[in-house]
Amino acid sequence: MLRKPRLYRGRPCQSLPVYSVSLGCPKNRVDTEHCLGSLGVRIVPTQNPSQARLILINTCAFIESAVKESLQTLFAVCTEIQDQPRKPLLVVCGCLPGRYGKQALEKDIPEVDLWLEPKEIEQWPLLIAKHLQLQKSPKPGRLRSTAPSYAWLKIADGCRHKCSFCTIPAIRGSYVSSPLDAILQEAKELVADGVLELDLVAQDVTGWGKDCGKSLLDLLPKLAELPNLLWLRLLYCYPTGVNDALLALIKSVGQPLLPYFDIPLQHADPNILASMGRPFAKDPRILINHIHDRLPEAILRTTVIVGYPGETDEAFEKLYRFVEEGHFLHLGVFCYEAEEGTVAATLPNQVPKEQARQRREALMSLQQAISREYLQRFLGETQTILVDAVHPEWPGLYTGRSWFQAPEVDGVTYVSGKAKVGQACVGEIVDTMDYDLSALVCE
């Protein structure tokens, strides 16, 4: 018989030692921050699971390698706390239980006290508080875990698209936009707390509002009006969502709304794109040229998948030549993984994993040279740099980012001189590397 989730019995707590891990995308990170910040007690983060009263592992499971990472993380924590006389409450949430369901996981991994699925995300704080017997009732809040300079602002959950390789709609459900007023209120609170950069995230940020009679054009101008906001960045744009209206808005609004486009194109071969169910299958250059016609200064980031079923040498060569054209300052390359329940997993002509890995290495090597050459154009320029942290090894050196560098996924700008974490400075770019820049603060 399965044991019931353990209730923590002891003195009422004024503070709660928490060990948390958030795997996968920034959207998961935001969910973790909201959950912990809504428990109604002071959270004391700890790096030692054995010292925690609550262990929260927010999992990723959209591909096999992410599932493995989630399970490895969970089992490592279980091993570390197994000999503790008073074990913490072990909670596992997010995409792993969303994909496989609570019942199956409870049977296979009884060490976990509480499994929480994405569909019950609004109840996560309440369910955790109940099992910890916290005196205070949960209330909406957020415990940020990023650098003080930036924050991700999640504006929707789920996905409406039917890409043949993706499990996200099955795990997270259909697309649901967050209410406009709620987004604006959270954004105001973040900026009031000193955040200078807001990075909008969703499975498709350009789809915001379509399920409730609104559009991104209703949201962006209101966010751009927030006082003291330096940068407003869009991450995860669906290709068809980057249209004339959006480009015109970005051009007319200007700063803080950045001409930075993160658009996962996934491939460049028409047959592969059509099989994936992706737009612009005829030629993704149509979109790229359109962006640069309207916004010549735009910076592009994309992701591509290699080793998709049916990717012949000729198809990969088209992708390689497309990347070689140098459209992108930032590029992510992923090896295809056949996921149970997806259309792509049933297709013939699956590509051997080793061949996919070699293709990935070839693209990454190509992009390294492109990035190195691309960054050289900034040498000698003066840039506004948002300072994220003190360099952990070099006194007097800081890590920050210029406007064309998104947090945690792009390169960084190393800053020397009088700078302050969480604030912006102006610096001259004095050196360029493969992916990073070095700047000297202008006195």
Side-chain angles (χ1 to χ4, degrees):
M1 179 180 293
L2 292 176
R3 59 185 174 85
K4 294 181 179 180
R6 175 175 63 251
L7 294 179
Y8 185 92
R9 303 188 184 280
R11 294 180 300 170
C13 69
Q14 301 299 320
S15 61
L16 183 67
V18 175
Y19 176 84
S20 67
V21 180
S22 190
L23 302 171
C25 64
K27 300 183 289 293
N28 269 12
R29 184 87 159 267
V30 174
D31 292 342
T32 299
E33 293 177 350
H34 277 297
C35 180
L36 294 179
S38 299
L39 290 176
V41 295
R42 186 172 69 91
I43 302 298
V44 181
T46 176
Q47 299 301 313
N48 187 344
S50 300
Q51 295 176 355
R53 278 186 60 185
L54 167 65
I55 295 176
L56 181 73
I57 303 176
N58 196 348
T59 57
C60 181
F62 85 109
I63 54 176
E64 181 182 353
S65 57
V67 172
K68 289 180 178 179
E69 182 185 21
S70 294
L71 291 175
Q72 289 170 353
T73 301
L74 171 56
F75 294 147
V77 168
C78 288
T79 299
E80 191 157 349
I81 65 173
Q82 64 182 353
D83 295 326
Q84 294 296 310
R86 184 188 236 175
K87 290 185 173 62
L89 184 77
L90 178 54
V91 180
V92 179
C93 55
C95 291
L96 189 66
R99 180 170 183 175
Y100 297 104
K102 291 182 181 180
Q103 292 184 338
L105 293 169
E106 285 173 346
K107 182 178 179 180
D108 292 339
I109 313 175
E111 294 87 353
V112 175
D113 297 303
L114 187 61
W115 295 94
L116 301 174
E117 298 182 23
K119 63 183 179 182
E120 55 189 351
I121 191 169
E122 298 297 329
Q123 299 300 313
W124 286 6
L126 181 63
L127 294 170
I128 293 172
K130 178 181 177 181
H131 285 90
L132 284 171
Q133 294 188 323
L134 300 180
Q135 279 195 321
K136 295 183 179 179
S137 299
K139 58 182 180 180
R142 182 172 179 180
L143 182 68
R144 284 201 297 123
S145 57
T146 57
S149 48
Y150 69 91
W152 289 298
L153 186 60
K154 183 178 174 182
I155 63 172
D157 207 348
C159 188
R160 65 169 56 86
H161 304 297
K162 305 297 181 183
C163 301
S164 63
F165 53 84
C166 187
T167 60
I168 294 297
I171 296 173
R172 308 292 299 200
S174 59
Y175 195 95
V176 179
S177 300
S178 301
L180 174 63
D181 290 344
I183 295 172
L184 293 177
Q185 182 59 36
E186 183 173 8
K188 289 176 182 177
E189 292 172 357
L190 290 167
V191 173
D193 194 38
V195 169
L196 294 178
E197 175 183 352
L198 291 176
D199 298 297
L200 302 192
V201 294
Q203 202 62 36
D204 166 18
V205 297
T206 55
W208 182 86
K210 292 181 179 179
D211 55 329
C212 55
K214 296 184 181 298
S215 80
L216 198 60
L217 305 185
D218 300 310
L219 174 62
L220 292 180
K222 295 182 182 299
L223 290 173
E225 291 174 354
L226 292 174
N228 302 319
L229 180 62
L230 179 66
W231 293 335
L232 178 61
R233 189 188 309 272
L234 307 182
L235 299 176
Y236 313 120
C237 297
Y238 196 70
T240 53
V242 184
N243 52 31
D244 282 338
L246 179 60
L247 295 175
L249 178 70
I250 293 174
K251 185 173 183 177
S252 64
V253 170
Q255 197 168 344
L257 190 51
L258 298 175
Y260 175 103
F261 296 90
D262 173 28
I263 311 172
L265 294 172
Q266 309 301 14
H267 215 279
D269 178 77
N271 294 328
I272 296 297
L273 285 169
S275 179
M276 288 178 167
R278 299 293 295 179
F280 292 99
K282 198 169 185 179
D283 188 357
R285 295 173 184 82
I286 296 172
L287 173 60
I288 293 169
N289 293 336
H290 190 53
I291 293 173
H292 282 303
D293 285 344
R294 294 298 185 92
L295 296 164
E297 73 279 18
I299 293 292
L300 304 185
R301 148 178 277 280
T302 196
T303 55
V304 297
I305 297 173
V306 294
Y308 182 86
E311 186 188 56
T312 61
D313 289 342
E314 182 183 4
F316 174 70
E317 182 69 15
K318 289 181 180 178
L319 175 60
Y320 188 94
R321 297 306 172 198
F322 175 64
V323 172
E324 191 177 38
E325 292 169 9
H327 305 289
F328 311 105
L329 175 54
H330 312 292
L331 175 73
V333 185
F334 298 91
C335 292
Y336 166 79
E337 297 183 26
E339 297 301 322
E340 183 180 358
T342 63
V343 173
T346 67
L347 294 177
N349 302 316
Q350 298 281 328
V351 176
K353 290 185 177 181
E354 178 59 24
Q355 188 173 25
R357 187 189 65 79
Q358 291 174 356
R359 289 174 176 176
R360 179 185 183 277
E361 289 181 355
L363 281 184
M364 292 304 296
S365 178
L366 172 63
Q367 180 60 28
Q368 184 178 24
I370 292 171
S371 175
R372 184 190 312 120
E373 182 178 354
Y374 204 125
L375 289 178
Q376 287 174 357
R377 68 182 65 177
F378 299 110
L379 189 63
E381 288 190 0
T382 298
Q383 293 283 340
T384 297
I385 303 162
L386 192 52
V387 182
D388 292 331
V390 175
H391 195 283
E393 298 177 5
W394 296 92
L397 188 66
Y398 300 83
T399 57
R401 291 170 295 106
S402 300
W403 71 267
F404 45 82
Q405 296 170 319
E408 301 190 22
V409 291
D410 297 338
V412 300
T413 299
Y414 295 104
V415 182
S416 299
K418 294 181 180 180
K420 187 174 181 179
V421 172
Q423 295 189 4
C425 66
V426 176
E428 180 187 353
I429 305 301
V430 295
D431 192 17
T432 65
M433 292 154 272
D434 289 344
Y435 302 107
D436 305 321
L437 302 168
S438 291
L440 185 62
V441 175
C442 299
E443 297 295 339

